[in-house]
Amino acid sequence: GQQLNQSPQSMFIQEGEDVSMNCTSSSIFNTWLWYKQDPGEGPVLLIALYKAGELTSNGRLTAQFGITRKDSFLNISASIPSDVGIYFCAGRTATGFQKLVFGTGTRLLVSP
Amino acid sequence: EAGVTQSPTHLIKTRGQQATLRCSPISGHTSVYWYQQALGLGLQFLLWYDEGEERNRGNFPPRFSGRQFPNYSSELNVNALELEDSALYLCASSLAVSSYEQYFGPGTRLTVT
C-alpha cells in the first residue's frame, strides 16, 4: 500500500530538547494530520492542517503544511518524558476521498 | 464524551477460521474506517463506511469485508484467516463525510496461529 516517507525513523533525545520531524510525498495532499501512538493503543490526533503554508500549534507542538503541498513538519518544543511514542503523519489527496495515507512513523525516545 | 470503542481487545484464531471485530464510533459520528497495522509497520487503509454503505476500500482481498449498522457501529469480518493477517486492527470515526479528522479506537489485536 501507499505510504508517506517520514524522517527520522527514530530519535533519542534529552528531556528539554526540541524535536523536529517531517513527512514527504511525491503526490500533492490537501490535508495533513499528525498523530501520536503509544504502545498497544490507537493513534491520537494531535494537529490537523488544511491549507498550504498553514502553521498550527497545540501546546508545545507546532505543525506546518508545506507550501508545495507535498510535505509537512512537526516540531515539539521542550520535550518531556511523556512525549515518548511513535508519531505518524497522515495525508489525504484530492482524489482520495476519506482515505488517509499514513507515514512510516518516527519513534521518539526521551531521556529524563 | 466516550471515544471510539472496539471489541474484543485481543482475538486468537487458527488459520482458516473467521474473525469478527466490532467498533462503536464516537456519538454523532457517521463515518467509520478500518485500518490494519502489522507489527512495526504503518497503518494501511482497509474500509470506509458511511450511512450504512461501503464508500471505499483499500488494496485488500475480498475476504476482508464488513458492514455498518443503523446505529453507525461497524463490524469487520476476515474470512479464511492467514498467518499474515496477524495485526492490530484499528477503527476510526469522523463527524461526517466532509470531516477529514479521524479519531481512533484502541484497536483489536488479532493473532492467527
Side-chain angles (χ1 to χ4, degrees), chain A residues 1-3 30-31 33 35 37 40-45 48-50 86 88 92 95-105 107, chain B residues 31 33 35 37 40-45 48 55-59 88 90 94 96-107 109:
Chain A
Q2 183 184 7
Q3 281 190 317
N30 286 356
T31 305
L33 305 170
Y35 288 87
Q37 186 175 27
E41 298 184 14
V44 174
L45 179 62
L49 303 159
Y50 294 100
I86 302 177
F88 289 100
R92 185 189 69 87
T95 57
F97 299 98
Q98 303 301 92
K99 172 185 167 183
L100 290 180
V101 177
F102 278 79
T104 47
R107 182 181 297 274
Chain B
S31 279
Y33 314 83
Y35 292 85
Q37 186 176 32
L41 298 180
L43 284 74
Q44 300 291 328
F45 170 75
W48 166 35
R55 302 292 185 181
N56 200 4
R57 68 180 292 129
N59 189 25
L88 182 67
L90 292 160
S94 70
V97 171
S98 59
S99 172
Y100 307 118
E101 296 177 16
Q102 297 179 16
Y103 296 86
F104 285 83
R109 171 71 63 188

Side-chain angles (χ1 to χ4, degrees), chain B residues 46-60:
Chain B
L46 264 167
L47 291 158
W48 166 35
Y49 291 95
D50 182 72
E51 298 288 354
E53 300 283 333
E54 181 182 302
R55 302 292 185 181
N56 200 4
R57 68 180 292 129
N59 189 25
F60 281 84

